[in-house]
Amino acid sequence: MKNPSLRFRVVRDWRARPSGSLCAKSVFSLRKSGIFVGLAIKPGTTVEHLAPWANQIDMALVMTVEPGFGGQKFMEDMMPNGNQVQWLRTQFPSLDIEVDGGVGPDTIHKCAEAGANMIVSGSAIMKSADPRSVINLLRNVCSEAAQKRCLDR
């Protein structure tokens, strides 16, 4: 990145750019400009769609709610039995994997243990009586899971 004090991030829904050549050109142009690139999948899209891009992007975002509005309930089916995040972590151990949607104190363990090392948590933090403690809990669970993964290798 040319200016380390500036950090730009572009995260696109995979379905918004299904054309392989168009996606490749976009990823290449953004990376060349020093921009952090992520591709997102929403429920109903399998992570295998991200596989061809995983070595070219900075982050994979797995949505655990339908995009659109905050406060939705975490979609369990994105985690167990054919776990999307766990598959990505196994196939691409160094890829940043972010989970967004319904992540809070009750669901963070599933996300972190599956392999997410980045999370988005809005309502669980903002609606909490003690946002700082929720943030610390989320951070600690992710850190402990990442350390455990390193020890298990």
Side-chain angles (χ1 to χ4, degrees):
M1 192 177 259
K2 293 175 176 63
N3 183 346
S5 65
L6 295 175
R7 181 169 176 164
F8 293 97
R9 226 178 111 153
V10 175
V11 180
R12 293 291 310 206
D13 179 358
W14 182 87
R15 286 184 164 180
R17 296 260 184 198
S19 168
S21 63
L22 186 55
C23 188
K25 288 177 185 175
S26 297
V27 168
F28 178 77
S29 295
L30 291 167
R31 295 288 307 255
K32 186 176 175 185
S33 299
I35 296 174
F36 181 97
V37 178
L39 286 177
I41 58 165
K42 66 180 203 166
T45 306
T46 62
V47 291
E48 287 83 0
H49 287 99
L50 294 177
W53 313 106
N55 292 318
Q56 301 167 50
I57 60 175
D58 299 296
M59 179 197 67
L61 169 59
V62 177
M63 297 293 299
T64 50
V65 297
E66 289 293 339
F69 61 93
Q72 295 180 62
K73 189 175 182 329
F74 182 79
M75 296 176 90
E76 293 277 340
D77 58 335
M78 293 300 284
M79 289 294 142
N81 307 328
N83 185 323
Q84 305 272 28
V85 174
Q86 191 170 36
W87 186 89
L88 275 172
R89 177 58 61 216
T90 302
Q91 299 298 311
F92 307 99
S94 61
L95 180 65
D96 278 333
I97 302 171
E98 183 173 77
V99 174
D100 180 359
V103 181
D106 296 335
T107 57
I108 185 60
H109 288 86
K110 292 175 183 153
C111 300
E113 289 167 8
N117 62 315
M118 300 170 71
I119 58 142
V120 175
S121 183
S123 298
I125 294 169
M126 300 309 292
K127 292 181 178 180
S128 168
D130 187 2
R132 182 168 293 179
S133 68
V134 173
I135 292 169
N136 287 333
L137 170 71
L138 300 175
R139 181 181 293 131
N140 291 339
V141 170
C142 284
S143 294
E144 289 169 11
Q147 289 173 352
K148 184 179 183 309
R149 277 192 302 278
C150 287
L151 293 174
D152 289 345
R153 285 187 199 171

